[in-house]
Amino acid sequence: MRLYSLSFITVLLFSTAVPANAEKTLRVETLPGVVKQGDACFVRASGPASLTSIYGEFQGERFPMASGVQNGTYEGLLGIDLNIRPAAYEIKFLATDGEGKVYRSGLWLKVKRADFKTQRLSLPSPMVDLDAETLERVDREEKRLKALFQGFREERLWGGPFVRPVPGEVTTGFGLRRIINGQPRSPHTGVDLRGEKGTPVWACNSGVVALVDQLFFSGKSVILDHGWGLYSMYFHLSETLVGEGDRVRTGAMLGRVGSTGRSTRPHLHWAIRIRGARVDPLSLVKSTEHLRE
Ligand SMILES: [Zn+2]
């Protein structure tokens, strides 16, 4: 009897400690719950269906969120750059409903160190050292891509799960650190997927074609803008089949696998940027898998 009374009191105390209506709160979570350097991270919130605005804040920068398929759910994507310092980061959320009521929430996201491999290569100098003219071209192309990735389209064009652009397995993983002739080079910020020359390359999600060009390192290239600062890249193609400005849907054919640019055999270099963060495309596939109906 005594025990019964105690638990009854506990229930009463607990009931008054939480808001009377649970729908008046904003619950937030990330998928996965703990991430590592170079991961894409799906963010999900649930709360009142009447929210008129909702956004998150990570490292002092806002990121957009929008309604999910289910009523009262909201979703967004975060990019955890491959060079971020491993630590716990606070993510804050702010939402308002039609009546001007403000909802705040937050969570701490643990970022673990990724185990990126290092590859040491010795190559003849002419293969590595570029002449002045080529250096200038490379510099110009890098600046152009950098400016492109700073773009931010308010409209969300992606939806549902991200898919692999070719079925082939990974031949060079994401984040590989390369040291050529004793000099550290840029890390591998995409994945190389195996594919015979001519294999169709598909859009990993819906978007608009932001770039079609032949670049020095990446050869024939296509870049898609998926909105909200999310871009996908398809490099070393033998052929491109879309034009800048084209709207494409998930699975649309963008071109064919090739070995153009700095490449030794046919393969697809596939890369993703999320508001500037360089993330492993396969982690984006994994963190959005659950959106499959
Ligand atoms: Zn590559």
Side-chain angles (χ1 to χ4, degrees), residues 178-198:
R178 282 188 278 217
I179 298 173
I180 302 176
N181 299 347
Q183 286 188 338
R185 299 281 165 152
S186 335
H188 192 233
T189 54
V191 285
D192 289 348
L193 301 174
R194 195 185 296 282
E196 295 294 314
K197 188 181 174 197

Side-chain angles (χ1 to χ4, degrees), residues 153 155-163 165 201-212 222-227 230-234 237 240-255 270:
R153 180 185 293 267
E155 187 189 358
R156 174 174 69 153
L157 302 177
W158 64 270
F162 281 76
V163 300
V201 172
W202 303 305
C204 66
N205 210 307
S206 301
V208 60
V209 179
L211 178 142
V212 179
V222 172
I223 299 180
L224 298 184
D225 176 355
H226 300 283
L230 200 158
Y231 295 87
S232 62
M233 288 159 255
Y234 311 80
L237 304 175
T240 56
L241 298 166
V242 286
E244 289 180 6
D246 288 356
R247 290 256 174 172
V248 295
R249 298 184 74 88
T250 308
M253 194 168 161
L254 304 174
W270 179 36

Side-chain angles (χ1 to χ4, degrees), residues 58-206:
F58 174 65
Q59 289 198 291
E61 280 186 26
R62 285 184 181 191
F63 63 90
M65 294 187 67
S67 297
V69 177
Q70 274 181 321
N71 219 13
T73 65
Y74 304 87
E75 58 192 35
L77 275 171
L78 262 186
I80 310 298
D81 189 71
L82 84 167
N83 272 344
I84 198 172
R85 186 172 54 86
Y89 292 86
E90 189 177 17
I91 308 178
K92 294 176 186 166
F93 296 87
L94 191 77
T96 48
D97 65 15
E99 289 157 12
K101 188 174 180 334
V102 176
Y103 301 82
R104 285 174 207 277
S105 192
L107 59 85
W108 285 85
L109 179 67
K110 190 179 175 194
V111 179
K112 293 192 295 185
R113 184 176 300 281
D115 180 26
F116 297 129
K117 304 274 179 286
T118 301
Q119 183 184 45
R120 285 168 203 278
L121 290 173
S122 289
L123 293 172
S125 169
M127 271 186 72
V128 185
D129 300 312
L130 308 175
D131 60 65
E133 199 185 322
T134 309
L135 270 176
E136 202 181 298
R137 177 183 170 188
V138 165
D139 189 48
R140 208 166 49 233
E141 291 177 353
E142 271 174 10
K143 283 193 178 120
R144 182 174 164 206
L145 293 191
K146 203 177 163 196
L148 180 69
F149 298 140
Q150 276 167 357
F152 183 87
R153 180 185 293 267
E154 296 278 343
E155 187 189 358
R156 174 174 69 153
L157 302 177
W158 64 270
F162 281 76
V163 300
R164 289 167 81 116
V166 294
E169 72 271 32
V170 174
T171 54
T172 304
F174 177 84
L176 181 79
R177 302 199 185 274
R178 282 188 278 217
I179 298 173
I180 302 176
N181 299 347
Q183 286 188 338
R185 299 281 165 152
S186 335
H188 192 233
T189 54
V191 285
D192 289 348
L193 301 174
R194 195 185 296 282
E196 295 294 314
K197 188 181 174 197
T199 304
V201 172
W202 303 305
C204 66
N205 210 307
S206 301

